[in-house]
Amino acid sequence: MERMPKWADVIVTPLISLALAFAISALVILAIGESPVEALKVMVEGALGSSYGWGFTLYYTTNFVFTGLAVMVAYHAGLFNIGGEGQAAMGGLGVTLVVLALPWPHWALALPAAVVGAALFGALWALIPAWLQAKRGSHVVITTIMFNFIAAALLNYVLVNLLRPVGSMDPASANFPPATHLPKLSDMALAFGIDWGRNTPANIAFFIAIIACLLVWLLIWRTRLGYEIRAFGKSEPAALYAGISPVRITVVAMLISGALAGLMAVNNVMGEAERLVLNAVEGAGFIGIAVALMGRNHPLGVFLAALLFGFLYQGGGELALWTSIPRELIVIIQALVILFTGALDNMVRMPLERLFLTLNRKRG
Amino acid sequence: MALAGATGTAPAIELRGISKAFGPVQANRNIDLVVPRGTIHGIIGENGAGKSTLMSILYGFYRPDAGEILIGGQPVTISDSQAAIRAGIGMVFQHFKLVPNFTVLENIILGAEDRGLLRHSLSRARGELKRLAEEYGLQVDPDAAVEELSVGHQQRVEILKALYRQADILILDEPTGVLTPAEADHLFRILRGLKDEGKTIILITHKLREIMEITDNVSVMRRGEMVASVRTAGTNPTELAELMVGRKVLLRVEKTPAQPGAPVLEVRGLGMVDADGVERLRGIDLEVRAGEIVGIAGVAGNGQTQLLEILGGFPEPGARLQGEIRLNGTPLPLSGTGADGRARRAAGIGHVPEDRQVEGLIMDFSAWENSAFGYHDAPQFQNGLLMDNAAIRADAADKMQRFDVRPPNPDLAAKNFSGGNQQKIVVAREIERNPDLLLIGQPTRGVDIGAIEFIHKRIVALRDAGKAVLLVSVELDEIMALSDRIAVMFDGRIMGERLPASTTAGELGCLMAGLEPAAAPATSGGTE
């Protein structure tokens, strides 16, 4: 069957899906007696209308890039890692242990160590499901989701019993020392004399996310490992024929995936909260699934989709703040976007393919 | 051009000026075809000649860019497969479209359930099935799960499915590719029975012998065009083969006598028990010398697949192995990382696997990515930490040109090439590495005659360069034409070895059926 041009597949399909999601969201907003136009205005202005809004949008974007890349890498190996939530939570533990372990003189020294800690803990959390899948055939979908709960319970225990400073009533780690605080994007802008996004959480981890996108692209399409990951993901019998070990690829791909999810902690734990709190991930691990799906499992797409979800998060927060639209509605909008861009993707693509087919026939 | 068949009545199918292009590729160009009612009509052509496209148009998978379809004299528009079924067309695909864990009956009513509850359709189908079975000799247990049926019986279910939908015109795409000779004979009997009942049958195949044996008329396609439609009785295989490829073809393989050297592959007492506890290989002893082609004949499923997989380094998971394999005198491990496909390649074994679409190629990968598959570790494809994609692409373009892969576009995904061209990509990859031992399984399955000839020449050239070749094929003709020595496998054993010059297809057939040569009738004539 002829396919439509690639640009249409990559750009037009998600845009139409998005428009449909927004159209139905508008109906829901109408149904509760609010103005969809007004709501959209609040969202756009709140998320993109000021450098303050952008500062938050990019912060959320950074989270979603990491978890989106995590899902993407596993997907290329034919694995569905929905344990980003737990892996990111464990990444937070890794960051916290690294930052609190030594009296770091400067953030520039603490950051690489924190990156390693976050990646290592995230990867290790993915290792057990990966091993079970590779050796025992226990499906990663099941095991990773169970590991999310285990991670939550484990962090609960660690925070309450081990990391909580003596005398504190708050189940959270000690505040990170000021020397380890990561520069915010606003600080960096200020260094160039630009007043941008003051008091917003977007920080240097945003650039790490961009670098991660680049490295993941290189990994998947330019390295031998990426080639083997893709080959295994497309056809396991072929991988066996070529001498690519399924155990090795399953484990390595899941380790990379877990490490990417864990890296999110550099942004939210080290860059924003500057201590480890309960439930620091706040569902970003699951958003990563939608981000990867919508981003067509390509780093550029993941980045753009993460930006969209960053906008939805920040715009949604604004909506709850400034209008009488309840916060739950934003969850509905996000759900609709996920539904249309992820689950109902073919609903849009197939008519579109047919349209292009007809156009082609008329032209030729 | 008088075709055999009923005159005076409108033809079952008439195509006028059908054209279909996929982007720049003109798959069908101005095709005219007349299929008289109540005849068996063969359509032959190389892979990529446009047969499948044409049949897909008839079955409503593609819409033609131009042209007319007449069924029984009436112009029709076939917009989808439902419309094709309404027009009385039934299709039996090369790869069956059956639900493996459904029963025969459930498969037959699938898509034709006509009430809310299945009970009614099932009982109606049961009666109908009984009638069809009696009428056409299409016996099959209606309550058996399809996955438990043999391939031949699964094919019958496909035919029954079409007949249940009241098909008057039956299209069969390469129906004997998966059948044993006995099953193929039975199929032909069924087809003749259907013809006698007035059904019209279109048979797409690349086996000239089948065309000669069963068809009334035959149409030849070449590069998207219909080059001839003739009475089968008025033609011969050589003429058809020439029409098909547009030049003289050798139906025999030209080769000089083998000059066998030292043993390259030595297999001693190789046994295998699969994960289900079934003994697949029983004490295989085999030797392949340098400069010789050893062919393994046998009906599919007698252990040839397992033998190739073990030698190639990927026995099915959970299998228990015993015995010894030596390559150039050095023992090869049977299990562990030293026994995987990578290690086998490093040891000097090239492998064209039996199923190129599942094992030999990643169908979604481009041709250039596939052309390095398995050799992606090779130093010349590395650029520091990264892969040297430019080098791989250049290498692929070069191989594609030398192996005449069409279209010679390395960026095209493997799935977009025809079967023969896909196989050339695999063969080029494995042969060009100049392995000491080439394992090659079903080298020409689903491959057109032009490519068959090409691939055979390459195999012989490799042999002449002093390499060892182990050939597994279910095509006895191919084994006989290509091999310097023939080993016959039956039920996981080597039944015996023969020299092609001093054996007959009949003798090999007996061995393939598990009969000891002594017990075989002395005068079981050849198949030529």
Side-chain angles (χ1 to χ4, degrees), chain A residues 40 127 255:
Chain A
L40 185 66
L127 176 64
L255 284 178

Side-chain angles (χ1 to χ4, degrees), chain A residues 96-105 110 113 177 180:
Chain A
T96 306
L97 293 178
V98 164
V99 170
L100 295 180
L102 293 174
W104 297 98
T180 64

Side-chain angles (χ1 to χ4, degrees), chain B residues 46 208 237-254 448-454 457:
Chain B
E46 292 189 282
L208 293 171
T238 321
E239 185 190 21
L240 289 176
E242 276 170 28
L243 280 169
M244 206 153 98
V245 294
R247 62 191 150 83
K248 291 267 181 198
V249 204
L250 298 169
L251 282 171
R252 311 290 309 173
V253 179
E254 293 265 0
D448 53 90
I449 286 201
I452 287 177
E453 188 196 1
F454 187 88
K457 275 190 178 155

Side-chain angles (χ1 to χ4, degrees), chain A residues 222 224 227-228 230 235 241, chain B residues 351 358 369 376 387 430:
Chain A
R222 286 292 179 274
R224 221 160 61 189
Y227 179 90
E228 295 188 349
R230 284 184 296 128
S235 169
Y241 156 79
Chain B
H351 186 179
V358 171
E369 281 177 303
H376 51 277
M387 284 178 90
E430 300 301 323

Side-chain angles (χ1 to χ4, degrees), chain A residues 46-311:
Chain A
L48 312 172
S50 63
S51 66
Y52 180 80
W54 272 102
F56 277 91
T57 301
L58 291 184
Y59 164 71
Y60 291 124
T61 300
T62 307
N63 284 341
F64 302 151
V65 165
F66 284 122
T67 54
L69 289 177
V71 174
M72 176 200 139
V73 169
Y75 174 87
H76 277 288
L79 300 163
F80 197 23
N81 176 16
I82 50 179
E85 196 76 9
Q87 290 144 16
M90 295 304 285
L93 184 60
V95 165
T96 306
L97 293 178
V98 164
V99 170
L100 295 180
L102 293 174
W104 297 98
H106 194 270
W107 65 265
L109 293 173
L111 180 59
V115 163
V116 171
L120 195 70
F121 271 62
L124 286 178
W125 204 244
L127 176 64
I128 302 168
W131 189 256
L132 288 173
Q133 166 82 66
K135 284 290 189 187
R136 292 263 158 250
S138 317
H139 210 287
V140 281
V141 168
I142 309 291
T143 48
T144 51
I145 203 162
M146 294 200 297
F147 266 64
N148 287 339
F149 291 102
I150 302 174
L154 183 68
L155 276 190
N156 206 334
Y157 174 82
V158 169
L159 282 175
V160 170
N161 295 297
L162 304 175
L163 283 178
R164 183 169 53 96
V166 181
S168 165
M169 298 292 283
D170 190 11
S173 78
N175 287 329
F176 293 174
T180 64
H181 290 182
L182 293 181
K184 302 277 191 281
L185 291 190
S186 54
D187 302 335
M188 298 163 85
L190 216 53
F192 291 98
I194 304 163
D195 183 11
W196 184 94
R198 207 177 307 167
N199 295 325
T200 61
N203 60 76
I204 196 168
F206 175 69
F207 296 111
I208 301 179
I210 292 176
I211 294 170
C213 282
L214 217 67
L215 289 179
V216 165
W217 178 79
L218 275 175
L219 168 76
I220 295 293
W221 281 286
R222 286 292 179 274
T223 68
R224 221 160 61 189
L225 177 62
Y227 179 90
E228 295 188 349
I229 285 176
R230 284 184 296 128
F232 173 73
K234 296 279 187 199
S235 169
E236 188 169 342
L240 278 170
Y241 156 79
I244 297 168
S245 156
V247 173
R248 180 174 145 263
I249 295 298
T250 302
V251 170
V252 169
M254 281 299 285
L255 284 178
I256 295 171
S257 174
L260 284 164
L263 279 177
M264 182 191 128
V266 175
N267 186 48
N268 73 330
V269 175
M270 192 177 183
E272 197 259 343
E274 291 163 352
R275 59 182 187 144
L276 185 62
V277 297
L278 270 185
N279 190 25
V281 185
E282 291 183 306
F286 294 118
I287 298 290
I289 299 168
V291 166
L293 275 175
M294 190 174 178
R296 288 270 179 285
N297 291 298
H298 189 285
L300 182 60
V302 164
F303 182 82
L304 294 176
L307 199 58
L308 170 74
F309 277 88
F311 155 75

Side-chain angles (χ1 to χ4, degrees), chain B residues 87-158:
Chain B
I89 299 174
M91 183 108 174
V92 176
F93 292 92
Q94 189 175 2
H95 303 287
F96 305 145
K97 315 264 186 220
L98 297 170
V99 184
N101 53 354
F102 274 21
T103 65
V104 169
L105 217 48
E106 285 169 328
N107 266 291
I108 286 191
I109 62 163
L110 188 65
E113 320 90 351
D114 48 8
R115 282 195 202 172
L117 289 178
L118 284 180
R119 201 164 50 93
H120 171 75
S121 311
L122 283 170
S123 69
R124 193 164 76 90
R126 191 181 295 276
E128 182 68 10
L129 207 58
K130 201 159 166 249
R131 189 183 69 77
L132 291 170
E134 279 161 12
E135 209 169 320
Y136 301 114
L138 280 159
Q139 274 82 11
V140 53
D141 175 7
D143 298 312
V146 157
E147 61 196 346
E148 290 174 357
L149 298 179
S150 69
V151 179
H153 278 80
Q154 291 186 15
Q155 190 174 55
R156 277 186 216 171
V157 177
E158 282 282 14

